[in-house]
Amino acid sequence: MTAPAAALPLLPGATLGVLGGGQLGRMFAHAAQAMGYFTAVLDPDPHSPAGRISHHYIQSGYDNAAGLAELARVSDAITTEFENVPAATLATLAALRPVAPAASAVAIAQDRAQEKAHFVRCGVACAPYAVIETAAQLAAVPAELLPGILKTARMGYDGKGQVRVNSAAELAAGWDSVGHVPCVLEKMLPLALECSVIVARGRDGHIVHLPVQRNLHHDGILAVTEVYTSNLPVALAQQAVLAAKSIAHELNYVGVLCVEFFVLQDGTLVVNEIAPRPHNSGHYSHNACDISQFELQVRTLTGLPLVQPRQHSAAVMLNLLGDLWFAHGDGDSVQTPPWDAVLALPGAHLHLYGKQEAKRGRKMGHLNLTAATPEAARATALQAAQLLGLPAF
Ligand code: ADP
Ligand code: MG
């Protein structure tokens, strides 16, 4: 059962709910509030980044019936900031209020095996793979999938839940090490680069996109995103946008969807994974585009018109992990990074998520560097990286 679509669009003055109080929920709430909406956040942690800045905060687990009922009571429509929300939670809420994205789409995005099957349905190339749920499937893995990456089907993020395996013996040991949970084994591909595309699709099927983002990861975590026309061959970027749109369309998706791609050394485009929400690689859109990915999330949830965003500045985004707070990389003494020096750079925009405590590997914020030209954006980003002690890219 779905809530009546006739109630949409929800105009400013309505209350928008979000499951999850992390940085993505916080930036969604900021975008909604800037447009005159009220916000409600449900998260178990009373110090969550989004909970602390929201009009309503509901301290509750994601499967707590009373907490979900309260979120539905105060909200006119509800979205999620993370894909590992139980599918039953979204289904429960959808019986009471408009919810986007739908439980059915989130269920596909939260399971790598279903996600891959969806790519195959869409005719978009992905890495050769095998699903491993039983010992028989493990034994039947074709040799040409090795060397490969064994990925848990569920709950993986930022490179967690992954084991690189070179042989059948390592594969068996890898499956042991993850406790025999359902997995996908992917063939290790020769990557030239990684990129992603963010699309936003409304209930009427209208779809818009942000420009293609080129991404650099360190230790499985996004480190740098660069967005300007010369960052990728034009034909490849067009192919990525078309593939992302068809993946969203085939899901009958409503909301903001990020599609991650690999570009192989021979120039082939291969889809990697999808995230049913705004994405770290889209954070540059706050300062480099006339509509950010979070405003797109507000527009899709409320049924407001979707207008094609325009990028007005070349952009580089640097992720700010908790490691920056630890002087010179080792020791336990915490120090505030030199924000004053960083903010003296032209086109520097600091976004911090208000997290209580810096921890190594924890996403604390990001820095957007915008400029009139790609060269200038890169030059200031490299200066910022040097000031912060981040590696050059
Ligand atoms: P996560 O959910 O943690 O982001 P990904 O599946 O995106 O997991 O993998 C994390 C990173 O590992 C990718 O961004 C890429 O750098 C590398 N990687 C993943 N799969 C492959 C593959 N099949 N071949 C080569 N590199 C890969
Ligand atoms: Mg990824």
Side-chain angles (χ1 to χ4, degrees):
M1 186 170 86
T2 49
L8 300 173
L10 288 168
L11 295 179
T15 300
L16 306 182
V18 57
L19 286 162
Q23 62 267 19
L24 300 178
R26 176 179 169 106
M27 289 183 273
F28 167 76
H30 279 153
Q33 291 171 2
M35 294 171 78
Y37 291 96
F38 295 90
T39 61
V41 169
L42 181 146
D43 191 291
D45 175 6
H47 303 295
S48 75
R52 289 162 54 138
I53 58 97
S54 181
H55 299 100
H56 303 269
Y57 164 62
I58 298 148
Q59 184 178 5
S60 164
Y62 301 109
D63 50 6
N64 178 296
L68 296 177
E70 178 63 6
L71 181 67
R73 191 185 68 77
V74 299
S75 306
D76 295 297
I78 298 166
T79 188
T80 178
E81 66 133 25
F82 70 119
E83 57 267 46
N84 290 327
V85 52
T89 296
L90 290 176
T92 302
L93 292 171
L96 302 167
R97 291 286 182 264
V99 168
S104 54
V106 174
I108 289 174
Q110 69 188 195
D111 184 305
R112 288 188 195 274
Q114 288 194 48
E115 192 176 67
K116 291 261 191 305
H118 182 72
F119 299 150
V120 173
R121 262 198 306 277
C122 296
V124 177
C126 63
Y129 73 100
V131 175
I132 300 177
E133 290 174 341
T134 64
Q137 286 172 321
L138 178 78
V141 163
E144 61 264 25
L145 290 185
L146 296 168
I149 307 186
L150 183 70
K151 304 181 179 181
T152 58
R154 303 177 74 86
M155 303 302 257
Y157 67 101
D158 289 344
K160 294 181 176 65
Q162 299 192 6
V163 193
R164 298 194 172 209
V165 292
N166 291 304
S167 63
E170 284 182 22
L171 174 61
W175 201 47
D176 286 345
S177 74
V178 298
H180 297 183
V181 295
C183 284
V184 165
L185 174 72
E186 267 179 55
K187 186 178 173 66
M188 178 76 80
L189 299 175
L191 309 190
L193 59 93
E194 298 186 56
C195 62
S196 55
V197 180
I198 285 161
V199 296
R201 188 170 180 277
R203 286 178 179 77
D204 59 358
H206 184 59
I207 190 162
V208 298
H209 64 95
L210 289 175
V212 182
Q213 302 119 199
R214 182 167 171 170
N215 303 321
L216 188 71
H217 297 83
H218 287 156
D219 301 328
I221 304 181
L222 183 66
V224 182
T225 296
E226 296 183 66
V227 198
Y228 37 80
T229 37
S230 54
N231 69 350
L232 286 168
V234 172
L236 199 73
Q238 284 172 346
Q239 196 190 341
V241 170
L242 283 179
K245 285 184 172 179
S246 99
I247 287 167
H249 175 79
E250 293 294 326
L251 280 173
N252 198 19
Y253 192 80
V254 177
V256 170
L257 180 79
C258 179
V259 183
E260 292 183 38
F261 296 94
F262 301 139
V263 178
L264 306 189
Q265 281 162 18
D266 67 2
T268 316
L269 185 78
V270 168
V271 63
N272 173 24
E273 60 173 350
I274 58 176
R277 52 172 171 76
H279 191 260
N280 198 163
S281 63
H283 288 353
Y284 71 96
S285 60
H286 258 141
N287 302 110
C289 298
D290 58 1
I291 305 183
S292 76
Q293 61 171 345
F294 297 101
E295 180 173 339
L296 290 173
Q297 189 180 18
V298 173
R299 286 179 182 238
T300 53
L301 181 62
T302 56
L304 284 176
L306 283 178
V307 176
Q308 173 59 42
R310 182 180 66 85
Q311 184 179 7
H312 52 70
S313 299
V316 179
M317 184 221 61
L318 302 179
N319 245 0
L320 305 173
L321 300 184
D323 307 62
L324 294 181
W325 274 252
F326 295 93
H328 313 301
D330 38 54
D332 287 334
S333 67
V334 176
Q335 67 170 32
T336 303
W339 303 133
D340 47 351
V342 168
L343 289 169
L345 296 171
H349 310 271
L350 180 63
H351 298 259
L352 292 174
Y353 307 146
K355 295 190 180 176
Q356 291 275 89
E357 192 192 347
K359 285 191 189 158
R360 290 177 204 281
R362 175 179 275 182
K363 290 178 179 173
M364 301 298 290
H366 63 273
L367 185 73
N368 287 337
L369 292 309
T370 58
T373 65
E375 295 73 23
R378 267 189 69 85
T380 42
L382 285 166
Q383 280 178 280
Q386 192 173 30
L387 287 168
L388 292 167
L390 292 168
F393 50 90

